[in-house]
Amino acid sequence: MIYVDNRQEKIEVSEILIENLKKVIQFTLMEEEVDVECEVSLLFVDNEEIREINNETRSIDRETDVLSFPMLEYQDKKVFKQLYKNYEFSQSDFDGNELVLGDIVLSLEKALEQSKEFNHSYEREASYLVVHSVLHLLGYDHIEEEDKVIMRSREEEILNKLNITR
């Protein structure tokens, strides 16, 4: 289940955008071999709200494009598809029958700004940020250069398979 909550009024949110981003989330989960019922929350915010959340949660007092809040703990650089095969989840990892992966907080205002900056469509930028965030929910990271290369490669592979190009 993908929950969507629009908490901003600066950028119009169409049903088409919501459905497209839900499809991006579902496809990313499928590509990452997540074959259990999952719960993901997608929150749309503006730059001011994401700045506040970034400051509260990471002590970084500036706006950003997307924040990911994974609910599962990944150790030893294992991502979901490596973890799932040998891991027993506790009942607290579930909401009913759905494994709770976490929350995505997306600044639509920042996505629009970056789409202009990078000279591609708003839909492409929003989709990229959602794929990026879902991968974080599944245990990917980009702090180390080696991990960054792996994550960027997966992002582009998924977007290309969806035919979402620059």
Side-chain angles (χ1 to χ4, degrees):
M1 178 70 69
I2 300 167
Y3 296 98
V4 178
D5 185 6
N6 182 19
R7 297 183 180 177
Q8 58 83 51
E9 297 178 353
K10 293 186 177 177
I11 307 293
E12 181 182 346
V13 176
S14 69
E15 284 302 313
I16 293 172
L17 177 68
I18 291 171
E19 289 309 309
N20 285 344
L21 292 180
K22 282 182 174 183
K23 286 177 186 172
V24 168
I25 292 169
Q26 292 164 338
F27 187 80
T28 303
L29 293 174
M30 184 186 74
E31 283 293 302
E32 286 297 304
E33 302 174 21
V34 178
D35 58 357
V36 295
E37 295 286 322
C38 294
E39 182 179 303
V40 173
S41 295
L42 176 59
L43 305 145
F44 298 137
V45 298
D46 59 25
N47 285 346
E48 182 58 27
E49 186 167 353
I50 207 162
R51 185 196 63 76
E52 290 172 11
I53 296 168
N54 203 20
N55 193 29
E56 289 170 15
T57 59
R58 300 172 64 219
S59 299
I60 299 174
D61 190 13
R62 69 172 185 264
E63 63 196 39
T64 189
D65 47 16
V66 69
L67 292 169
S68 309
F69 296 98
M71 296 304 288
L72 301 174
E73 290 190 31
Y74 300 93
Q75 298 176 6
D76 301 325
K77 297 193 186 253
K78 289 189 176 182
V79 295
F80 184 89
K81 60 186 170 184
Q82 296 163 322
L83 176 74
Y84 181 67
K85 293 174 179 37
N86 301 308
Y87 185 81
E88 290 194 30
F89 297 100
S90 71
Q91 195 55 40
S92 65
D93 293 327
F94 289 84
D95 181 8
N97 291 329
E98 296 177 338
L99 183 63
V100 180
L101 291 181
D103 302 327
I104 298 169
V105 181
L106 175 62
S107 171
L108 294 180
E109 188 177 5
K110 192 70 166 173
L112 182 60
E113 291 169 9
Q114 289 179 172
S115 71
K116 293 175 183 174
E117 178 183 338
F118 300 135
N119 198 29
H120 55 236
S121 73
Y122 168 65
E123 291 77 13
R124 196 272 183 209
E125 185 65 18
S127 296
Y128 166 77
L129 294 171
V130 166
V131 169
H132 177 85
S133 197
V134 170
L135 291 178
H136 274 308
L137 296 184
L138 297 176
Y140 284 81
D141 209 340
H142 49 80
I143 295 171
E144 302 292 329
E145 187 61 32
E146 175 184 340
D147 297 330
K148 183 178 181 178
V149 169
I150 292 167
M151 188 171 181
R152 294 293 182 259
S153 174
R154 280 307 285 147
E155 291 164 352
E156 290 303 320
E157 287 171 18
I158 291 167
L159 289 168
N160 285 337
K161 286 182 178 182
L162 285 165
N163 201 27
I164 301 173
T165 58
R166 294 181 187 262

